Amino acid sequence: MAKTGTTTQGLRAAIERSGYYPALVAEAVEAAVGGEPVASYLVHQETTFDANEVRRHVTVLVLTGKRFIVSHTDEQAADGTSPSPYATTSTESVKIERISSVVLSRVVANPESYTPGTLPREVVLTIGWGAVNRLDLEPAACGDPNCEADHGYTGSSTADDLSLRVSEAGDGPDTVRQTLAFSQALSEATVAATAGH
C-alpha cells in the first residue's frame, strides 16, 4: 500500500497471512483505500463445503478516517462461463456517516464465572448501512381467539448488509481479538461522525 504506517503494513501482512490470493486481494483493497491512512482492519477467511467442492471466501474490512471499505473475494470452479477456475473480487466504499448500526454479539462459556477481559468463544459482527434490509412479515392477529377478521400483516425491518461470524475454535483467538478491536473502532468512528454534524 502507499502508506507506510504500521496499521497499513499490518493490513498487508494480514492479507498475505490469509494465503488466499494475496496479490489479488491486496490490489483490490489498495485501490479502494487509495491514499487514506488505515485506522483499523479485519481480514477473515471462511471455508465452505458445497456438494463435492471446497470453496474459500475472504472478507476484508477497512476503516479509514472517512470511509468503511468492504472487500469480498470468492473462488469459483470452472463452469459454462469459464473453462478454468476463477475468482471474483468486489469492493464497496461506504461513508462512515451512512453506517446506521454496528452490532456485536458475544458468546461466552460459563457466564456465571465470567471475568472481564476474557475472550469470547465467538463473536458475530453485523454492520448496517442501508444497502440491504431484511423484511420479516407475519399475519397480524388480535387478542380474540375466535376472531376471523383480516388484520393485515406485522413485521420488522432489519439492516443486514454484512454479518461476520468469528470463533476462537475456527479462526483463532487473534482473529476474535481483531474483530473486537475493529468493532470498537468502527463504533467509535460512527459516534464521531454523527457528533460532527
Side-chain angles (χ1 to χ4, degrees), residues 45-88:
Q45 183 176 312
E46 182 179 12
T47 303
T48 58
F49 301 93
D50 182 20
N52 295 330
E53 296 179 24
V54 176
R55 291 201 177 164
R56 296 179 301 165
H57 172 90
V58 70
T59 301
V60 180
L61 308 180
V62 180
L63 178 63
T64 71
K66 298 178 181 179
R67 298 181 298 143
F68 166 63
I69 297 161
V70 182
S71 175
H72 295 286
T73 304
D74 291 289
E75 62 185 358
Q76 306 293 328
D79 58 22
T81 64
S82 176
S84 60
Y86 60 98
T88 305

Side-chain angles (χ1 to χ4, degrees), residues 119-121 123 166-168 172-181:
L119 199 61
R121 186 170 65 196
V123 293
V166 177
S167 72
E168 186 177 22
D174 288 342
T175 305
V176 174
R177 279 188 201 89
Q178 187 65 34
T179 305
L180 293 170

Side-chain angles (χ1 to χ4, degrees), residues 155-174:
S156 63
S157 175
T158 308
D160 199 16
D161 295 308
L162 175 77
S163 189
L164 197 66
R165 179 184 171 271
V166 177
S167 72
E168 186 177 22
D171 303 296
D174 288 342

